[in-house]
Amino acid sequence: MKLKSIKLENFKNIKNSKIEFKSNNLSAIYGPNGSGKTAVIEAIEVVREYFLIDKPDFMEKELDEKLKNFIKIGETTTSIELEIEGETKKYKIILNFSKDKFNNILPMEEKILYKNADKKRETYKKLISFKSYETQQIKLKKSESINIIEKILKQQETSKLSINLENVNLNSYLGIIFSQIIENQKSENKIELNDELENVLINFLEIENYLTKIFVITLENQAITNLKIFLNMNIHLENSQGTIPITLNQNNNFYSENIAEAIINTVKQINGIFKAIIPDSELVCEIEGERITEKEKEKGINLYIIKKGDKISIKNESVGIQKIVSILSALIYCIQDENALVVIDELDAHIFEYLLAVILEQISKIAKGQLIFTAHNLSPMERLKGENIIVTSLDEDKINYSYFKRISKTTNLRQKYIRSQAIWSEDNINPLNISETEIALYMRKLVK
């Protein structure tokens, strides 16, 4: 699946704007401060976290605080609309949130629309919707489908009140309903679904699986790395997926044997590119101790950089090196998985621009998944095509997202931007001696 567009209303400083992604694998968002770059990243993160069912209490509280800050000043509602495209269908996911007079955030609407992906002129049809203020909250075409859902909830001993409470805690109402349906279908006394519910269930699970696996790196995530607290490792192997924090301020990180093995294998993948990026250096993961807890056996592991024979703990390396290690784990996921969506705010921070340009050029050529990022520096994008670069601009109260036109390999993006926006920008700096061929060869090997 691919993210095709985002539409935001009353979100941060955005009144009503839409951003379209022409490229299926790499989109760079560039523009001045306060022009809606980070808002795109944060909106995607909100959708991802909302659809994570049974998230811990701290995440519910964080999402609540985020939405309170994200609703445009002077407004009481905000809307996020994502358009995603699968092999055969396109979907629109629409979320509406409201802030009441007591400053409580309430989910007001979830709506999923669909149409055939190969029919551009076809209008979207409603798959399913939920509105919190209606007596009948779930909306489907057939009343029979509603009755089946109610029977399932009754058999599962799940009250509508408990679902409403979970929803108020910013868990997807539709996600909760379908999790109950799935549990019922696993039981011996399962209630048979009709054709409509079968179809909706298949489509919803496809959408939910895509949304909850989005990998987002915000400025807040990067700040934790900057403070040398955690290094987030993105694990996406055949049997292991998720984000694992590597603690930087302790001697050993203990993990279950399965997770430890997943980290070791991910480090091996990262090291292939890392050796090409950082001359005469190597990233290694070493097992240093074991312990047995009440539940399982755990392994203690640590990351090291080996430079010309000297071994340095990753916690003693620069923030730039730590960020490169963390980012590479996410980029490998993007390169290999056609359903991957990696979203990074200020990707260019702490990374040498020429090095980043080499990596981005290769990703734009070979990545199966999709990378969306913001940046304050145009020079890493000079090897990209026009469809890869989105420019933000402010027009009074309106934020616009547009594309450069007539881009070629010889185009000076900085000069083109200066002419179009009439703002000052820095000059390029000279690149270091980096093996582009070696980076390109290894990244191509990652594509199976």
Side-chain angles (χ1 to χ4, degrees):
M1 299 186 82
K2 304 295 179 185
L3 179 61
K4 304 303 292 184
S5 70
I6 301 175
K7 184 179 178 182
L8 301 175
E9 292 184 14
N10 297 332
F11 193 89
K12 297 189 74 173
N13 62 332
I14 297 173
K15 179 63 179 176
N16 189 335
S17 295
K18 183 176 182 179
I19 180 170
E20 296 183 351
F21 302 103
K22 293 182 179 180
S23 170
N24 277 333
N25 64 1
L26 192 150
S27 297
I29 307 173
Y30 174 82
N33 293 334
S35 61
K37 298 190 304 299
T38 297
V40 175
I41 308 298
E42 290 169 331
I44 295 173
E45 184 183 38
V46 165
V47 175
R48 174 189 174 275
E49 292 184 358
Y50 183 71
F51 278 96
L52 285 173
I53 306 302
D54 296 328
K55 47 185 167 279
D57 291 343
F58 78 88
M59 189 178 287
E60 292 175 355
K61 292 177 182 177
E62 286 179 355
L63 182 56
D64 181 76
E65 287 300 315
K66 288 174 186 175
L67 282 166
K68 286 175 182 176
N69 294 324
F70 290 163
I71 294 180
K72 195 174 190 294
I73 294 174
E75 303 291 344
T76 58
T77 62
T78 188
S79 174
I80 304 171
E81 178 185 300
L82 267 62
E83 184 179 37
I84 58 177
E85 182 174 352
E87 289 186 9
T88 60
K89 292 179 182 177
K90 275 188 174 182
Y91 302 97
K92 277 187 180 179
I93 298 97
I94 302 170
L95 299 179
N96 288 312
F97 299 96
S98 176
K99 182 169 63 176
D100 66 17
K101 62 181 180 180
F102 302 107
N103 206 33
N104 297 313
I105 297 296
L106 302 172
M108 299 303 293
E109 182 179 35
E110 293 175 45
K111 186 186 296 183
I112 298 176
L113 310 175
Y114 75 101
K115 70 175 184 178
N116 293 312
D118 59 347
K119 296 182 180 179
K120 294 183 178 180
R121 295 185 179 181
E122 186 178 52
T123 57
Y124 276 97
K125 295 172 284 188
K126 185 174 70 176
L127 182 71
I128 190 170
S129 68
F130 145 76
K131 287 190 176 182
S132 64
Y133 52 82
E134 292 183 344
T135 304
Q136 181 58 66
Q137 294 180 316
I138 292 285
K139 286 289 185 181
L140 289 161
K141 288 182 180 179
K142 298 179 180 179
S143 58
E144 177 194 10
S145 301
I146 305 294
N147 293 334
I148 292 172
I149 290 175
E150 290 181 348
K151 288 179 182 178
I152 288 173
L153 295 179
K154 185 176 181 181
Q155 190 180 87
Q156 296 291 111
E157 297 182 349
T158 304
S159 68
K160 287 188 176 181
L161 176 61
S162 65
I163 297 175
N164 288 334
L165 288 173
E166 286 295 313
N167 182 230
V168 169
N169 288 329
L170 300 178
N171 291 289
S172 163
Y173 192 95
L174 296 179
I176 299 165
I177 291 293
F178 283 105
S179 67
Q180 295 297 305
I181 292 175
I182 292 169
E183 286 300 314
N184 176 266
Q185 296 303 291
K186 293 177 181 177
S187 68
E188 294 181 359
N189 300 318
K190 71 175 184 179
I191 296 173
E192 293 297 328
L193 306 181
N194 62 3
D195 291 343
E196 182 183 28
L197 270 181
E198 286 274 9
N199 177 56
V200 174
L201 177 62
I202 291 169
N203 285 279
F204 181 82
L205 289 180
E206 181 183 19
I207 293 167
E208 185 183 47
N209 184 57
Y210 172 75
L211 295 176
T212 55
K213 288 185 179 178
I214 295 172
F215 186 63
V216 182
I217 301 178
T218 63
L219 289 179
E220 184 179 349
N221 300 142
Q222 296 178 53
I224 293 174
T225 301
N226 296 346
L227 293 171
K228 293 182 176 289
I229 299 172
F230 293 112
L231 185 155
N232 285 325
M233 185 74 69
N234 187 243
I235 305 295
H236 279 274
L237 302 172
E238 187 174 348
N239 298 317
S240 304
Q241 293 187 343
T243 302
I244 305 296
I246 307 292
T247 306
L248 297 175
N249 58 2
Q250 65 184 41
N251 293 327
N252 289 308
N253 289 276
F254 282 93
Y255 302 97
S256 67
E257 289 185 295
N258 290 338
I259 293 177
E261 189 64 28
I263 294 173
I264 292 168
N265 290 332
T266 298
V267 169
K268 287 179 182 177
Q269 288 188 330
I270 294 172
N271 187 48
I273 303 177
F274 186 85
K275 289 189 296 184
I277 290 173
I278 312 296
D280 301 317
S281 297
E282 187 175 0
L283 175 68
V284 296
C285 181
E286 296 189 356
I287 299 174
E288 298 179 342
E290 294 182 348
R291 70 183 184 189
I292 299 176
T293 66
E294 293 181 0
K295 295 182 179 179
E296 58 192 347
K297 184 178 180 181
E298 296 182 336
K299 291 183 177 181
I301 63 173
N302 277 312
L303 302 184
Y304 294 94
I305 307 293
I306 299 176
K307 293 182 179 179
K308 298 180 180 179
D310 295 328
K311 188 167 70 172
I312 304 169
S313 174
I314 190 73
K315 68 182 179 181
N316 295 324
E317 270 292 358
S318 68
V319 170
I321 293 293
Q322 291 172 359
K323 179 172 179 178
I324 285 172
V325 171
S326 179
I327 293 295
L328 285 177
S329 67
L331 296 185
I332 287 171
Y333 168 47
C334 176
I335 290 169
Q336 294 181 325
D337 193 327
E338 63 183 9
N339 288 317
L341 174 55
V342 175
V343 186
I344 306 174
D345 200 10
E346 293 193 18
L347 175 58
D348 55 337
H350 300 296
I351 299 181
F352 182 51
E353 60 182 30
Y354 182 74
L355 165 62
L356 186 57
V358 173
I359 293 173
L360 293 177
E361 181 183 29
Q362 293 304 316
I363 288 176
S364 70
K365 292 178 180 179
I366 66 172
K368 292 181 177 180
Q370 190 175 12
L371 170 65
I372 297 172
F373 69 92
T374 72
H376 286 105
N377 191 352
L378 262 178
S379 56
M381 306 178 200
E382 289 177 347
R383 299 183 180 212
L384 302 178
K385 297 178 181 179
E387 68 177 19
N388 297 123
I389 306 169
I390 302 166
V391 181
T392 67
S393 59
L394 285 164
D395 181 12
E396 294 182 355
D397 194 33
K398 176 73 173 177
I399 288 179
N400 297 312
Y401 299 94
S402 56
Y403 285 83
F404 279 129
K405 297 178 181 178
R406 296 179 291 279
I407 294 291
S408 69
K409 290 183 178 180
T410 59
T411 301
N412 186 317
L413 292 180
R414 183 172 286 104
Q415 292 298 325
K416 192 174 183 68
Y417 184 77
I418 290 172
R419 286 196 299 271
S420 65
Q421 303 292 322
I423 67 168
W424 175 85
S425 184
E426 295 177 341
D427 293 328
N428 280 324
I429 60 175
N430 293 325
L432 289 176
N433 184 22
I434 295 171
S435 175
E436 296 185 33
T437 303
E438 191 176 349
I439 295 172
L441 285 173
Y442 185 80
M443 292 178 74
R444 289 178 187 278
K445 288 179 182 178
L446 292 170
V447 182
K448 296 179 181 178

